[in-house]
Amino acid sequence: MVSRIKDIDERAFIAQLASVFGRGKDELKVPAGDDDCAVLEFGGEYLVVTTDMLHQRTDFPDTMTPWQIGWMAAAVNFSDIAAMGGQPLGLLAAVGYPQNMSLEDSREIARGMRDCAEFCETSVIGGDVDSHEELTITGTALGRVSKEELLTRKGAKPGDLVCVTGTLGAAGAALKAYLKNMDIDSDFMKPLLEPVPRIAEGRMLAKSGAVTSAMDTSDGLALSLYDLASVNEVGFVLRKELLPVDRRVFEIASSKQEALELALYSGGDFELLVTIPRKSFKALQTESYLTVVGETVDIDADINLIGKDKTNFAITRKGYLHIGASEQI
Amino acid sequence: MVSRIKDIDERAFIAQLASVFGRGKDELKVPAGDDDCAVLEFGGEYLVVTTDMLHQRTDFPDTMTPWQIGWMAAAVNFSDIAAMGGQPLGLLAAVGYPQNMSLEDSREIARGMRDCAEFCETSVIGGDVDSHEELTITGTALGRVSKEELLTRKGAKPGDLVCVTGTLGAAGAALKAYLKNMDIDSDFMKPLLEPVPRIAEGRMLAKSGAVTSAMDTSDGLALSLYDLASVNEVGFVLRKELLPVDRRVFEIASSKQEALELALYSGGDFELLVTIPRKSFKALQTESYLTVVGETVDIDADINLIGKDKTNFAITRKGYLHIGASEQI
């Protein structure tokens, strides 16, 4: 019997908590646990809001500079705003500092947050300071989006194209290089240490009116596909030759199979995964940031990857989980 | 030279960070570090938002139940919403759970948050789950308030009456009893472990239009007076016989002097401290939740307490600080 935090699957745990919290008041359009952000109706439009806790041991590798730590703590939250099609309104940051941290490092963390917020056309609007044995940062990002433009996880239908922004696996490749102590330069590490929130892309997708479902890929493409499949009761077929695997993955992977695994299962990419009906896709097909990777199918077809030679294998439900029995690669 | 977190005063540290973050965009009406909440203009009214990080070692005494931990994590945030006159819109909670925590305890924490949110006429709308060596909870509360009704720290003028809600020192008395292992019942501990956010009082004060400045007393009455004095460039004279010292303080204090110290300097009360011009006070004088404790004076008069016999002594700047050289009593 599952009775402790360490034994439960993260998604199942969130579902348990969400059932305690309930549906909320009328103004709450998307409740806890259902999407990348909570959605509140406010002043005729939607307010989207999200929070993320990061801490030293799990989230800040030794090579990370204080500036990168601040950037990261902001970026993971703005990525959730991007996934809802939101225009950022601000970031709050509650930081638990180790007593011995230098003030200069604490200011560098603040500058990293500020710079990421400015990249997202907003600012750090508040926060809390605390002392903590382990450096711990909880960011909260707010955004606004008109009712017509809100992107959510729910809405994908069989036949919809599956698309991703950017490339796949760059953060996973960097993590592998770091863990294996490989000789790489700092640019190689950037996708892992300085993820770029896809705010501009999220806004363009939201304005297009073409997107039926959206989320970010922070826990890996495979887990995100499973999340969308579960919410929408659909399956997915991805085409191997269409995957925009990052060039860094090929530099670091010891086999084609490993490259594919990094692209599918490693976390930290913070790209957007969206579904778009075929007939609506025309309006977006010239957009360089977007790559079609496959198609939404019936739920009975599960989640599969098809090769050029028609080989077909199942994409499994693994990736980055913060709680419980994670199968991180 | 101050160069590490442990050596800096919390208020000075917040000022340093605020100068990194800057003034923000036009829609940000009250920037980081200036008040109990950040204030954003949105849809013709104000959105107020605040975040607070709590963790096991500092904030959750052993006697606290998981339900109380959840309640507390919600209450400290709603108290900030109350201080701005806000109507709560929701709570987000990012929780870092120790791996060995039982699922039942984690659900009890969630129930505590939910019950506090419901007391404040709202709900838990989102969050994040993480695993952490030390139980760590960062709450974020959102509220709304019309432009005319917003309460802020800025506005107190010499001559304004100084008022507090509820009583003073109950949480401090409970903390003393707990630390000294005194024989007390669970009701005695409630003010410390289950603080009540003064949302209803904050709303009434906001609607009255009479309040010139407001904040909560979470770090103690004295520190809050110093904060208001600094923002408004004023001093305060409090009258000893007017202080609504909680009955529990007299049960626990070993002298009248200690009772006074608990009322002035202990944190955890989460009452509201407000200033109200004498001529506007009439509208509020029948309100049972509000006690006049003194008067706003010229900045040169500092912050003093006057006895019935005209004895006069300085209220010093001490109380609960989360960072650096705190002089907690």
Side-chain angles (χ1 to χ4, degrees), chain B residues 105-182:
Chain B
D105 280 358
S106 72
R107 283 189 296 258
E108 270 297 286
I109 292 174
R111 289 182 199 117
M113 291 176 183
R114 177 200 62 196
D115 292 347
C116 185
E118 283 184 358
F119 172 81
C120 296
E121 297 183 340
T122 187
S123 65
V124 181
I125 62 172
D128 184 32
V129 298
D130 197 5
S131 69
H132 207 300
E133 195 147 322
E134 191 184 350
L135 176 64
T136 304
I137 309 184
T138 306
T140 300
L142 293 93
R144 69 197 306 167
V145 54
S146 72
K147 289 187 178 180
E148 302 71 35
E149 290 178 8
L150 180 75
L151 305 179
T152 68
R153 293 187 183 180
K154 196 156 177 60
K157 291 266 182 307
D160 289 357
L161 296 172
V162 179
C163 307
V164 292
T165 60
T167 63
L168 299 169
L175 183 62
K176 186 192 167 186
Y178 168 74
L179 293 174
K180 300 259 175 191
N181 239 330
M182 294 165 87

Side-chain angles (χ1 to χ4, degrees), chain B residues 11 34-36 83 151-157 160-164 211-217 220-236 272-276 296-297 299 303 317:
Chain B
R11 272 27 177 198
D34 273 15
D35 220 306
D36 291 60
L151 305 179
T152 68
R153 293 187 183 180
K154 196 156 177 60
K157 291 266 182 307
D160 289 357
L161 296 172
V162 179
C163 307
V164 292
V211 173
T212 51
S213 72
M215 70 179 293
D216 79 2
T217 64
L221 179 61
L223 266 190
S224 300
L225 288 168
Y226 271 85
D227 283 338
L228 285 190
S230 158
V231 171
N232 294 298
E233 299 184 337
V234 295
F236 294 106
L272 299 180
L273 167 68
V274 296
T275 56
I276 300 174
T296 311
V297 294
I299 188 169
I303 302 181
R317 186 178 174 283

